[in-house]
Structure formats: C-alpha cells, structure tokens
Amino acid sequence: MKTALVLNGPNLNLLGTREPDIYGSQTLADVEKLCHAACVTHGFTLDFRQSNHEGVLVDWIQEAGRGQQAGTVAGVILNAGAYTHTSVALHDAIKGAGVTLIELHISNVHAREAFRHHSCISPAARAVMAGFGVPGYALAIAALASFS
Ligand code: CA2
C-alpha cells in the first residue's frame, strides 16, 4: 500500500483556535482524522505532518521524492501556509524531488489580500486546490488516487 504524505506548513498547528470565519473551527487533529478516513477509502497509508520551519518542509519533500522513486509514496499534498507566497526553496525542492504534489489551501487565497495571490508552489505542482475548506484535504487525497 502506497503512502499519501500530507504536509502542513507554518501556523497550521493553530487551526481551529482563531479566524474560524476563514479557516473553520476544526483543528489540525480533526484534519488528520479526515485524511485518515479518506486514505482508508482510497487505499493509502497516511503520513501526516506539520512544521513551522521551511527547511524541515524541504527535507520532507526530498524524502517524498525518494519514496516515490522507490514506489512507496503516491505523492504529497502540501499546504505550505504563508511559505506558499515566498518560498523559492520549496519550489526548487518540489522540482528537484520530481514528486507528484498537490498544492492545497483551505481558504480561497485569490479572494483574499493581493500578497496571497502569488504562489511559488503552483508552477511546480501537479494540481492546485483552494477554497474548499478543510474538506479539501479529502478531495485532494481522492485526486491523488485518480493520478496513480
Ligand atoms: O488557506 C490556507 O490554507 C493558507 O495556506 C493558510 C495560511 C495562509 O498564510 C495562506 O495564505 C493560505 C495560514 C495558515 C495559518 O492558519 C491559522 C489558522 C488559525 C489561526 C492562525 C493561523
């Protein structure tokens, strides 16, 4: 059974504690449960992680690339948080790893501040999802299954 790696970036550990109008009231632990259920449905093992550190996310994307080459990883779902809008390092890591990656945002970033409209991730991603709320994670896992 292949692994779906779900990576969450900075401040997503705070999900459910503030700004419920934008991000909803579910916590990151709730998101993990939802992802686990979706992985059971689609025949994946779930590997769910969060880090506030850009370099850690780079390391995990490289690890995923090696796993995909070895046939153990189906791909990555990445909510890079605010690093989405700034991180050339994440862009380069995705390209360098050659990993199948879905960029995901809980909110519709294009309906928000102008600084959220640019993504460093999108040109390196296989697909981009935004604005589906927390259920978007389950939709992304279904999409990953449809790719493989
Ligand atoms: O909509 C998304 O999923 C974002 O990736 C979330 C990021 C934001 O910087 C992106 O522009 C869009 C923010 C994640 C932090 O989430 C919090 C949730 C509750 C309280 C504080 C932060």
Short mmCIF file of all heavy atoms in Angstrom, two decimals, residues 72-144:
data_model
loop_
_atom_site.label_atom_id
_atom_site.label_comp_id
_atom_site.label_asym_id
_atom_site.label_seq_id
_atom_site.Cartn_x
_atom_site.Cartn_y
_atom_site.Cartn_z
N THR A 72 7.13 3.64 -2.84
CA THR A 72 6.42 3.56 -1.57
C THR A 72 5.49 4.76 -1.33
O THR A 72 4.61 4.71 -0.46
CB THR A 72 7.41 3.46 -0.39
OG1 THR A 72 8.27 4.59 -0.42
CG2 THR A 72 8.24 2.19 -0.47
N VAL A 73 5.72 5.84 -2.06
CA VAL A 73 4.94 7.08 -1.86
C VAL A 73 4.14 7.39 -3.13
O VAL A 73 4.70 7.37 -4.24
CB VAL A 73 5.89 8.26 -1.50
CG1 VAL A 73 5.16 9.59 -1.54
CG2 VAL A 73 6.51 8.03 -0.12
N ALA A 74 2.84 7.68 -2.95
CA ALA A 74 1.98 8.04 -4.09
C ALA A 74 2.15 9.50 -4.46
O ALA A 74 2.05 9.88 -5.63
CB ALA A 74 0.52 7.76 -3.74
N GLY A 75 2.39 10.34 -3.47
CA GLY A 75 2.55 11.76 -3.73
C GLY A 75 2.33 12.56 -2.46
O GLY A 75 2.14 11.99 -1.37
N VAL A 76 2.38 13.87 -2.63
CA VAL A 76 2.31 14.80 -1.50
C VAL A 76 1.13 15.74 -1.68
O VAL A 76 0.88 16.22 -2.79
CB VAL A 76 3.61 15.64 -1.42
CG1 VAL A 76 3.53 16.68 -0.31
CG2 VAL A 76 4.82 14.74 -1.22
N ILE A 77 0.46 16.01 -0.58
CA ILE A 77 -0.50 17.11 -0.52
C ILE A 77 0.13 18.14 0.40
O ILE A 77 0.47 17.83 1.55
CB ILE A 77 -1.86 16.63 -0.01
CG1 ILE A 77 -2.47 15.70 -1.07
CG2 ILE A 77 -2.79 17.80 0.29
CD1 ILE A 77 -3.38 14.66 -0.53
N LEU A 78 0.36 19.33 -0.13
CA LEU A 78 1.11 20.35 0.62
C LEU A 78 0.27 21.60 0.84
O LEU A 78 -0.14 22.25 -0.13
CB LEU A 78 2.39 20.74 -0.15
CG LEU A 78 3.19 21.91 0.43
CD1 LEU A 78 3.76 21.57 1.81
CD2 LEU A 78 4.33 22.31 -0.51
N ASN A 79 0.00 21.89 2.11
CA ASN A 79 -0.47 23.23 2.47
C ASN A 79 0.73 23.94 3.08
O ASN A 79 1.05 23.73 4.26
CB ASN A 79 -1.64 23.17 3.46
CG ASN A 79 -2.20 24.57 3.71
OD1 ASN A 79 -1.58 25.58 3.37
ND2 ASN A 79 -3.38 24.64 4.32
N ALA A 80 1.40 24.73 2.27
CA ALA A 80 2.65 25.36 2.71
C ALA A 80 2.41 26.62 3.53
O ALA A 80 3.38 27.30 3.90
CB ALA A 80 3.52 25.66 1.50
N GLY A 81 1.13 26.93 3.82
CA GLY A 81 0.83 28.13 4.60
C GLY A 81 1.44 29.36 3.93
O GLY A 81 1.47 29.46 2.70
N ALA A 82 1.95 30.27 4.72
CA ALA A 82 2.48 31.53 4.18
C ALA A 82 3.74 31.33 3.35
O ALA A 82 4.07 32.18 2.51
CB ALA A 82 2.75 32.50 5.32
N TYR A 83 4.45 30.21 3.52
CA TYR A 83 5.62 29.94 2.67
C TYR A 83 5.23 29.79 1.20
O TYR A 83 6.06 29.95 0.31
CB TYR A 83 6.36 28.68 3.12
CG TYR A 83 7.11 28.81 4.42
CD1 TYR A 83 7.18 27.75 5.32
CD2 TYR A 83 7.77 30.00 4.76
CE1 TYR A 83 7.87 27.85 6.51
CE2 TYR A 83 8.46 30.12 5.96
CZ TYR A 83 8.50 29.04 6.83
OH TYR A 83 9.18 29.14 8.02
N THR A 84 3.95 29.48 0.95
CA THR A 84 3.44 29.42 -0.42
C THR A 84 3.83 30.66 -1.20
O THR A 84 4.20 30.59 -2.38
CB THR A 84 1.88 29.37 -0.39
OG1 THR A 84 1.49 28.23 0.35
CG2 THR A 84 1.29 29.35 -1.78
N HIS A 85 3.73 31.81 -0.52
CA HIS A 85 3.84 33.09 -1.22
C HIS A 85 5.27 33.62 -1.28
O HIS A 85 5.52 34.64 -1.90
CB HIS A 85 2.92 34.12 -0.52
CG HIS A 85 1.57 33.56 -0.20
ND1 HIS A 85 0.70 33.11 -1.17
CD2 HIS A 85 0.93 33.30 1.00
CE1 HIS A 85 -0.40 32.64 -0.60
NE2 HIS A 85 -0.28 32.74 0.72
N THR A 86 6.20 32.91 -0.64
CA THR A 86 7.57 33.45 -0.52
C THR A 86 8.67 32.46 -0.88
O THR A 86 9.80 32.88 -1.14
CB THR A 86 7.84 33.89 0.94
OG1 THR A 86 7.74 32.73 1.80
CG2 THR A 86 6.88 34.97 1.39
N SER A 87 8.39 31.17 -0.86
CA SER A 87 9.50 30.21 -0.76
C SER A 87 9.97 29.64 -2.11
O SER A 87 9.41 28.67 -2.64
CB SER A 87 9.13 29.05 0.17
OG SER A 87 10.22 28.15 0.24
N VAL A 88 11.05 30.21 -2.60
CA VAL A 88 11.73 29.64 -3.77
C VAL A 88 12.33 28.28 -3.39
O VAL A 88 12.42 27.37 -4.20
CB VAL A 88 12.81 30.62 -4.29
CG1 VAL A 88 13.60 30.03 -5.44
CG2 VAL A 88 12.16 31.94 -4.71
N ALA A 89 12.73 28.15 -2.12
CA ALA A 89 13.31 26.88 -1.66
C ALA A 89 12.31 25.73 -1.79
O ALA A 89 12.69 24.62 -2.21
CB ALA A 89 13.78 27.01 -0.21
N LEU A 90 11.06 25.97 -1.46
CA LEU A 90 10.04 24.92 -1.62
C LEU A 90 9.79 24.62 -3.10
O LEU A 90 9.66 23.47 -3.49
CB LEU A 90 8.74 25.30 -0.90
CG LEU A 90 8.79 25.20 0.63
CD1 LEU A 90 7.48 25.70 1.25
CD2 LEU A 90 9.05 23.77 1.10
N HIS A 91 9.74 25.68 -3.91
CA HIS A 91 9.59 25.48 -5.36
C HIS A 91 10.70 24.57 -5.87
O HIS A 91 10.44 23.58 -6.57
CB HIS A 91 9.65 26.85 -6.07
CG HIS A 91 9.70 26.76 -7.57
ND1 HIS A 91 8.61 27.04 -8.38
CD2 HIS A 91 10.71 26.41 -8.41
CE1 HIS A 91 8.95 26.85 -9.64
NE2 HIS A 91 10.22 26.48 -9.69
N ASP A 92 11.95 24.91 -5.52
CA ASP A 92 13.10 24.13 -6.01
C ASP A 92 13.07 22.70 -5.47
O ASP A 92 13.45 21.76 -6.19
CB ASP A 92 14.42 24.81 -5.59
CG ASP A 92 14.67 26.11 -6.33
OD1 ASP A 92 13.97 26.40 -7.32
OD2 ASP A 92 15.58 26.86 -5.90
N ALA A 93 12.63 22.53 -4.23
CA ALA A 93 12.58 21.19 -3.63
C ALA A 93 11.58 20.31 -4.40
O ALA A 93 11.87 19.13 -4.68
CB ALA A 93 12.17 21.27 -2.16
N ILE A 94 10.43 20.86 -4.74
CA ILE A 94 9.40 20.08 -5.46
C ILE A 94 9.92 19.68 -6.84
O ILE A 94 9.82 18.53 -7.25
CB ILE A 94 8.08 20.90 -5.57
CG1 ILE A 94 7.52 21.19 -4.19
CG2 ILE A 94 7.05 20.14 -6.42
CD1 ILE A 94 6.52 22.35 -4.15
N LYS A 95 10.51 20.66 -7.55
CA LYS A 95 11.09 20.38 -8.87
C LYS A 95 12.21 19.35 -8.76
O LYS A 95 12.28 18.40 -9.54
CB LYS A 95 11.66 21.67 -9.47
CG LYS A 95 10.61 22.63 -9.97
CD LYS A 95 10.30 22.33 -11.42
CE LYS A 95 9.53 23.49 -12.04
NZ LYS A 95 9.12 23.17 -13.41
N GLY A 96 13.08 19.55 -7.78
CA GLY A 96 14.25 18.69 -7.63
C GLY A 96 13.88 17.27 -7.24
O GLY A 96 14.52 16.31 -7.67
N ALA A 97 12.83 17.15 -6.43
CA ALA A 97 12.40 15.82 -5.96
C ALA A 97 11.62 15.08 -7.05
O ALA A 97 11.51 13.86 -7.02
CB ALA A 97 11.55 15.95 -4.70
N GLY A 98 11.06 15.84 -7.98
CA GLY A 98 10.26 15.23 -9.05
C GLY A 98 9.03 14.52 -8.50
O GLY A 98 8.56 13.54 -9.07
N VAL A 99 8.52 15.02 -7.40
CA VAL A 99 7.42 14.33 -6.73
C VAL A 99 6.07 14.87 -7.22
O VAL A 99 5.95 16.05 -7.58
CB VAL A 99 7.57 14.49 -5.19
CG1 VAL A 99 7.27 15.91 -4.72
CG2 VAL A 99 6.72 13.49 -4.44
N THR A 100 5.08 13.98 -7.26
CA THR A 100 3.70 14.39 -7.59
C THR A 100 3.15 15.14 -6.39
O THR A 100 3.05 14.58 -5.29
CB THR A 100 2.83 13.15 -7.86
OG1 THR A 100 3.42 12.40 -8.90
CG2 THR A 100 1.42 13.54 -8.23
N LEU A 101 2.80 16.39 -6.59
CA LEU A 101 2.40 17.23 -5.44
C LEU A 101 1.17 18.06 -5.76
O LEU A 101 1.10 18.68 -6.82
CB LEU A 101 3.57 18.12 -5.06
CG LEU A 101 3.36 19.02 -3.83
CD1 LEU A 101 4.63 19.08 -2.98
CD2 LEU A 101 2.94 20.44 -4.22
N ILE A 102 0.22 18.02 -4.85
CA ILE A 102 -0.99 18.85 -4.94
C ILE A 102 -0.84 19.98 -3.93
O ILE A 102 -0.66 19.75 -2.73
CB ILE A 102 -2.26 18.04 -4.66
CG1 ILE A 102 -2.40 16.90 -5.67
CG2 ILE A 102 -3.49 18.95 -4.70
CD1 ILE A 102 -3.57 15.95 -5.41
N GLU A 103 -0.89 21.22 -4.44
CA GLU A 103 -0.89 22.40 -3.57
C GLU A 103 -2.31 22.62 -3.06
O GLU A 103 -3.26 22.62 -3.85
CB GLU A 103 -0.43 23.62 -4.37
CG GLU A 103 -0.54 24.93 -3.61
CD GLU A 103 -0.19 26.14 -4.46
OE1 GLU A 103 0.28 25.98 -5.61
OE2 GLU A 103 -0.40 27.28 -3.97
N LEU A 104 -2.44 22.78 -1.77
CA LEU A 104 -3.78 22.90 -1.18
C LEU A 104 -3.85 24.12 -0.25
O LEU A 104 -2.90 24.38 0.50
CB LEU A 104 -4.11 21.64 -0.37
CG LEU A 104 -5.46 21.63 0.33
CD1 LEU A 104 -6.09 20.26 0.25
CD2 LEU A 104 -5.36 22.06 1.79
N HIS A 105 -4.95 24.83 -0.34
CA HIS A 105 -5.25 25.91 0.62
C HIS A 105 -6.68 25.75 1.11
O HIS A 105 -7.59 25.49 0.31
CB HIS A 105 -5.06 27.28 -0.03
CG HIS A 105 -3.67 27.46 -0.52
ND1 HIS A 105 -2.61 27.66 0.32
CD2 HIS A 105 -3.15 27.38 -1.76
CE1 HIS A 105 -1.50 27.70 -0.39
NE2 HIS A 105 -1.80 27.54 -1.65
N ILE A 106 -6.85 25.94 2.39
CA ILE A 106 -8.19 25.84 2.98
C ILE A 106 -9.06 26.99 2.47
O ILE A 106 -10.21 26.79 2.08
CB ILE A 106 -8.08 25.88 4.52
CG1 ILE A 106 -7.30 24.66 5.02
CG2 ILE A 106 -9.47 25.96 5.16
CD1 ILE A 106 -6.89 24.75 6.49
N SER A 107 -8.49 28.17 2.47
CA SER A 107 -9.23 29.36 2.04
C SER A 107 -9.01 29.60 0.54
O SER A 107 -8.06 29.07 -0.05
CB SER A 107 -8.76 30.57 2.84
OG SER A 107 -7.39 30.86 2.56
N ASN A 108 -9.89 30.42 -0.04
CA ASN A 108 -9.69 30.84 -1.43
C ASN A 108 -8.72 32.02 -1.42
O ASN A 108 -9.12 33.17 -1.25
CB ASN A 108 -11.02 31.23 -2.07
CG ASN A 108 -10.82 31.73 -3.49
OD1 ASN A 108 -9.69 31.79 -3.99
ND2 ASN A 108 -11.91 32.11 -4.14
N VAL A 109 -7.44 31.71 -1.58
CA VAL A 109 -6.40 32.73 -1.48
C VAL A 109 -6.60 33.86 -2.50
O VAL A 109 -6.19 34.99 -2.26
CB VAL A 109 -4.99 32.11 -1.63
CG1 VAL A 109 -4.58 31.39 -0.37
CG2 VAL A 109 -4.91 31.16 -2.82
N HIS A 110 -7.27 33.57 -3.61
CA HIS A 110 -7.45 34.58 -4.66
C HIS A 110 -8.55 35.59 -4.31
O HIS A 110 -8.64 36.64 -4.95
CB HIS A 110 -7.74 33.90 -6.00
CG HIS A 110 -6.59 33.04 -6.40
ND1 HIS A 110 -5.39 33.54 -6.83
CD2 HIS A 110 -6.43 31.69 -6.35
CE1 HIS A 110 -4.54 32.55 -7.05
NE2 HIS A 110 -5.15 31.42 -6.75
N ALA A 111 -9.33 35.27 -3.30
CA ALA A 111 -10.37 36.20 -2.85
C ALA A 111 -9.89 36.98 -1.62
O ALA A 111 -10.67 37.69 -0.99
CB ALA A 111 -11.64 35.43 -2.52
N ARG A 112 -8.60 36.84 -1.30
CA ARG A 112 -8.06 37.49 -0.10
C ARG A 112 -7.05 38.58 -0.49
O ARG A 112 -7.10 39.10 -1.60
CB ARG A 112 -7.46 36.42 0.81
CG ARG A 112 -8.52 35.40 1.27
CD ARG A 112 -7.94 34.37 2.20
NE ARG A 112 -7.47 34.98 3.44
CZ ARG A 112 -6.69 34.34 4.33
NH1 ARG A 112 -6.30 33.09 4.10
NH2 ARG A 112 -6.30 34.94 5.43
N GLU A 113 -6.16 38.94 0.41
CA GLU A 113 -5.20 40.02 0.16
C GLU A 113 -4.35 39.71 -1.07
O GLU A 113 -4.04 38.55 -1.34
CB GLU A 113 -4.26 40.21 1.36
CG GLU A 113 -4.94 40.49 2.68
CD GLU A 113 -5.12 39.23 3.53
OE1 GLU A 113 -5.41 38.14 2.96
OE2 GLU A 113 -4.96 39.34 4.75
N ALA A 114 -3.91 40.78 -1.76
CA ALA A 114 -3.13 40.62 -3.00
C ALA A 114 -1.86 39.79 -2.76
O ALA A 114 -1.44 39.03 -3.64
CB ALA A 114 -2.79 41.98 -3.58
N PHE A 115 -1.25 39.92 -1.57
CA PHE A 115 0.01 39.19 -1.34
C PHE A 115 -0.21 37.68 -1.29
O PHE A 115 0.76 36.91 -1.38
CB PHE A 115 0.75 39.70 -0.09
CG PHE A 115 0.05 39.45 1.23
CD1 PHE A 115 0.15 38.22 1.87
CD2 PHE A 115 -0.70 40.45 1.83
CE1 PHE A 115 -0.47 37.98 3.10
CE2 PHE A 115 -1.33 40.24 3.06
CZ PHE A 115 -1.23 39.00 3.68
N ARG A 116 -1.47 37.24 -1.18
CA ARG A 116 -1.74 35.79 -1.19
C ARG A 116 -2.04 35.28 -2.61
O ARG A 116 -2.29 34.09 -2.80
CB ARG A 116 -2.92 35.45 -0.27
CG ARG A 116 -2.66 35.75 1.19
CD ARG A 116 -3.80 35.27 2.08
NE ARG A 116 -3.80 36.00 3.33
CZ ARG A 116 -3.05 35.68 4.40
NH1 ARG A 116 -2.26 34.64 4.37
NH2 ARG A 116 -3.12 36.40 5.50
N HIS A 117 -2.06 36.17 -3.60
CA HIS A 117 -2.45 35.75 -4.96
C HIS A 117 -1.30 35.06 -5.68
O HIS A 117 -1.53 34.28 -6.60
CB HIS A 117 -2.94 36.95 -5.78
CG HIS A 117 -4.17 37.57 -5.22
ND1 HIS A 117 -4.75 38.71 -5.77
CD2 HIS A 117 -4.94 37.25 -4.14
CE1 HIS A 117 -5.82 39.03 -5.06
NE2 HIS A 117 -5.96 38.17 -4.05
N HIS A 118 -0.06 35.38 -5.27
CA HIS A 118 1.09 34.74 -5.92
C HIS A 118 1.49 33.48 -5.16
O HIS A 118 1.55 33.48 -3.93
CB HIS A 118 2.29 35.70 -5.97
CG HIS A 118 3.53 35.02 -6.45
ND1 HIS A 118 3.72 34.67 -7.77
CD2 HIS A 118 4.62 34.56 -5.78
CE1 HIS A 118 4.87 34.05 -7.89
NE2 HIS A 118 5.45 33.97 -6.69
N SER A 119 1.78 32.43 -5.91
CA SER A 119 2.27 31.19 -5.30
C SER A 119 3.58 30.78 -5.95
O SER A 119 3.67 30.67 -7.18
CB SER A 119 1.25 30.06 -5.47
OG SER A 119 1.84 28.82 -5.12
N CYS A 120 4.59 30.50 -5.12
CA CYS A 120 5.85 29.94 -5.61
C CYS A 120 5.69 28.45 -5.87
O CYS A 120 6.52 27.83 -6.55
CB CYS A 120 6.96 30.12 -4.57
SG CYS A 120 7.39 31.82 -4.24
N ILE A 121 4.65 27.85 -5.29
CA ILE A 121 4.45 26.41 -5.36
C ILE A 121 3.76 26.00 -6.67
O ILE A 121 4.11 24.98 -7.27
CB ILE A 121 3.56 25.92 -4.17
CG1 ILE A 121 4.07 26.42 -2.82
CG2 ILE A 121 3.40 24.40 -4.17
CD1 ILE A 121 5.41 25.94 -2.40
N SER A 122 2.78 26.82 -7.10
CA SER A 122 1.90 26.41 -8.22
C SER A 122 2.65 25.96 -9.48
O SER A 122 2.27 24.94 -10.07
CB SER A 122 0.93 27.54 -8.58
OG SER A 122 0.07 27.80 -7.51
N PRO A 123 3.73 26.68 -9.90
CA PRO A 123 4.39 26.24 -11.14
C PRO A 123 5.05 24.86 -11.03
O PRO A 123 5.33 24.23 -12.05
CB PRO A 123 5.45 27.32 -11.38
CG PRO A 123 5.05 28.48 -10.53
CD PRO A 123 4.33 27.90 -9.36
N ALA A 124 5.30 24.42 -9.80
CA ALA A 124 5.97 23.12 -9.59
C ALA A 124 4.97 22.02 -9.23
O ALA A 124 5.34 20.85 -9.12
CB ALA A 124 7.02 23.25 -8.49
N ALA A 125 3.70 22.42 -9.01
CA ALA A 125 2.70 21.46 -8.52
C ALA A 125 2.00 20.76 -9.68
O ALA A 125 1.87 21.31 -10.77
CB ALA A 125 1.65 22.18 -7.68
N ARG A 126 1.53 19.56 -9.42
CA ARG A 126 0.72 18.84 -10.42
C ARG A 126 -0.69 19.46 -10.49
O ARG A 126 -1.30 19.54 -11.55
CB ARG A 126 0.64 17.36 -10.01
CG ARG A 126 -0.36 16.51 -10.74
CD ARG A 126 0.12 16.09 -12.11
NE ARG A 126 -0.91 15.39 -12.84
CZ ARG A 126 -1.03 14.06 -12.92
NH1 ARG A 126 -0.15 13.29 -12.32
NH2 ARG A 126 -2.01 13.50 -13.60
N ALA A 127 -1.20 19.92 -9.35
CA ALA A 127 -2.54 20.49 -9.30
C ALA A 127 -2.62 21.44 -8.11
O ALA A 127 -1.81 21.37 -7.18
CB ALA A 127 -3.58 19.38 -9.17
N VAL A 128 -3.62 22.32 -8.16
CA VAL A 128 -3.78 23.35 -7.13
C VAL A 128 -5.23 23.38 -6.68
O VAL A 128 -6.14 23.38 -7.51
CB VAL A 128 -3.39 24.74 -7.69
CG1 VAL A 128 -3.52 25.81 -6.62
CG2 VAL A 128 -1.98 24.73 -8.27
N MET A 129 -5.44 23.39 -5.36
CA MET A 129 -6.79 23.46 -4.81
C MET A 129 -6.86 24.57 -3.77
O MET A 129 -5.98 24.66 -2.91
CB MET A 129 -7.15 22.15 -4.09
CG MET A 129 -7.19 20.95 -4.99
SD MET A 129 -7.59 19.47 -4.04
CE MET A 129 -9.14 19.97 -3.31
N ALA A 130 -7.92 25.37 -3.82
CA ALA A 130 -8.08 26.43 -2.83
C ALA A 130 -9.55 26.71 -2.63
O ALA A 130 -10.33 26.71 -3.59
CB ALA A 130 -7.37 27.70 -3.29
N GLY A 131 -9.91 26.95 -1.37
CA GLY A 131 -11.25 27.43 -1.08
C GLY A 131 -12.28 26.36 -0.78
O GLY A 131 -13.46 26.67 -0.62
N PHE A 132 -11.86 25.11 -0.67
CA PHE A 132 -12.81 24.03 -0.36
C PHE A 132 -12.94 23.80 1.14
O PHE A 132 -13.61 22.85 1.56
CB PHE A 132 -12.37 22.73 -1.04
CG PHE A 132 -12.47 22.76 -2.54
CD1 PHE A 132 -11.39 23.13 -3.32
CD2 PHE A 132 -13.66 22.42 -3.18
CE1 PHE A 132 -11.49 23.16 -4.70
CE2 PHE A 132 -13.76 22.45 -4.57
CZ PHE A 132 -12.66 22.83 -5.34
N GLY A 133 -12.27 24.64 1.93
CA GLY A 133 -12.29 24.44 3.38
C GLY A 133 -11.50 23.19 3.75
O GLY A 133 -10.78 22.61 2.92
N VAL A 134 -11.67 22.75 5.00
CA VAL A 134 -10.98 21.55 5.47
C VAL A 134 -11.35 20.30 4.64
O VAL A 134 -10.48 19.45 4.39
CB VAL A 134 -11.24 21.36 6.99
CG1 VAL A 134 -10.97 19.95 7.44
CG2 VAL A 134 -10.39 22.37 7.78
N PRO A 135 -12.61 20.17 4.16
CA PRO A 135 -12.93 19.00 3.33
C PRO A 135 -12.05 18.90 2.08
O PRO A 135 -11.96 17.82 1.46
CB PRO A 135 -14.40 19.21 2.95
CG PRO A 135 -14.95 20.06 4.05
CD PRO A 135 -13.83 20.98 4.45
N GLY A 136 -11.41 19.99 1.69
CA GLY A 136 -10.50 19.96 0.55
C GLY A 136 -9.38 18.93 0.71
O GLY A 136 -8.90 18.37 -0.29
N TYR A 137 -8.98 18.65 1.95
CA TYR A 137 -7.93 17.64 2.16
C TYR A 137 -8.38 16.27 1.65
O TYR A 137 -7.61 15.54 1.04
CB TYR A 137 -7.55 17.56 3.64
CG TYR A 137 -6.62 18.66 4.14
CD1 TYR A 137 -7.11 19.91 4.50
CD2 TYR A 137 -5.25 18.44 4.28
CE1 TYR A 137 -6.27 20.90 4.99
CE2 TYR A 137 -4.40 19.42 4.76
CZ TYR A 137 -4.91 20.66 5.11
OH TYR A 137 -4.07 21.65 5.57
N ALA A 138 -9.64 15.93 1.94
CA ALA A 138 -10.17 14.63 1.48
C ALA A 138 -10.30 14.63 -0.04
O ALA A 138 -10.01 13.61 -0.70
CB ALA A 138 -11.52 14.36 2.14
N LEU A 139 -10.70 15.76 -0.61
CA LEU A 139 -10.80 15.85 -2.07
C LEU A 139 -9.42 15.69 -2.71
O LEU A 139 -9.28 15.06 -3.77
CB LEU A 139 -11.41 17.21 -2.47
CG LEU A 139 -12.84 17.48 -2.00
CD1 LEU A 139 -13.27 18.90 -2.36
CD2 LEU A 139 -13.81 16.47 -2.60
N ALA A 140 -8.40 16.25 -2.06
CA ALA A 140 -7.03 16.15 -2.60
C ALA A 140 -6.54 14.70 -2.56
O ALA A 140 -5.85 14.25 -3.48
CB ALA A 140 -6.10 17.07 -1.82
N ILE A 141 -6.89 13.98 -1.50
CA ILE A 141 -6.49 12.56 -1.41
C ILE A 141 -7.19 11.77 -2.52
O ILE A 141 -6.57 10.92 -3.17
CB ILE A 141 -6.76 12.01 0.00
CG1 ILE A 141 -5.74 12.62 0.98
CG2 ILE A 141 -6.71 10.48 0.03
CD1 ILE A 141 -6.07 12.46 2.44
N ALA A 142 -8.46 12.08 -2.78
CA ALA A 142 -9.18 11.42 -3.89
C ALA A 142 -8.50 11.75 -5.22
O ALA A 142 -8.35 10.87 -6.09
CB ALA A 142 -10.64 11.86 -3.90
N ALA A 143 -8.08 12.99 -5.38
CA ALA A 143 -7.40 13.39 -6.62
C ALA A 143 -6.08 12.65 -6.77
O ALA A 143 -5.75 12.19 -7.87
CB ALA A 143 -7.18 14.90 -6.63
N LEU A 144 -5.35 12.50 -5.67
CA LEU A 144 -4.06 11.78 -5.71
C LEU A 144 -4.29 10.33 -6.16
O LEU A 144 -3.53 9.80 -6.96
CB LEU A 144 -3.40 11.83 -4.33
CG LEU A 144 -1.95 11.39 -4.25
CD1 LEU A 144 -1.04 12.27 -5.11
CD2 LEU A 144 -1.47 11.43 -2.79
#
